[in-house]
Amino acid sequence: MKCSIENCPGEYQEQFISQVFTRHGESIVIENIPAKVCDLCGDTVLDWAAVERLWQTLDNQPKPRKFLPVYSYTAIPV
Ligand SMILES: [Zn+2]
């Protein structure tokens, strides 16, 4: 499928991506979300229906498999 960004001749490729979301005021990462990603400009179209299905059942999902450090850019001295 052709990219939806104006003047981009790229094509969307099916990929699985990771995305950061905010839930109850906390950042969470969801991996392996089905998405279409433009092979030229990188425009990404999430499968929001898939995210919504996971979101609705998140409290019943297995506990996170990994934890990662989170840094705030605003805390970095300049
Ligand atoms: Zn594109």
Side-chain angles (χ1 to χ4, degrees):
M1 187 169 77
K2 191 187 172 310
C3 180
S4 63
I5 299 295
E6 193 175 350
N7 297 327
C8 176
E11 292 276 337
Y12 287 116
Q13 307 294 329
E14 301 282 345
Q15 289 189 22
F16 294 94
I17 67 164
S18 299
Q19 182 83 40
V20 178
F21 297 91
T22 301
R23 186 170 187 266
H24 305 320
E26 293 189 320
S27 297
I28 64 168
V29 178
I30 301 178
E31 293 183 319
N32 300 315
I33 304 168
K36 294 177 174 59
V37 181
C38 176
D39 56 4
L40 274 187
C41 74
D43 182 50
T44 301
V45 181
L46 284 184
D47 181 347
W48 282 105
V51 173
E52 182 71 19
R53 281 194 300 276
L54 175 62
W55 202 262
Q56 296 299 332
T57 60
L58 208 53
D59 288 329
N60 301 321
Q61 297 293 328
K63 291 298 177 207
R65 298 180 299 120
K66 306 175 201 170
F67 292 88
L68 72 164
V70 176
Y71 298 92
S72 173
Y73 182 80
T74 58
I76 300 171
V78 286

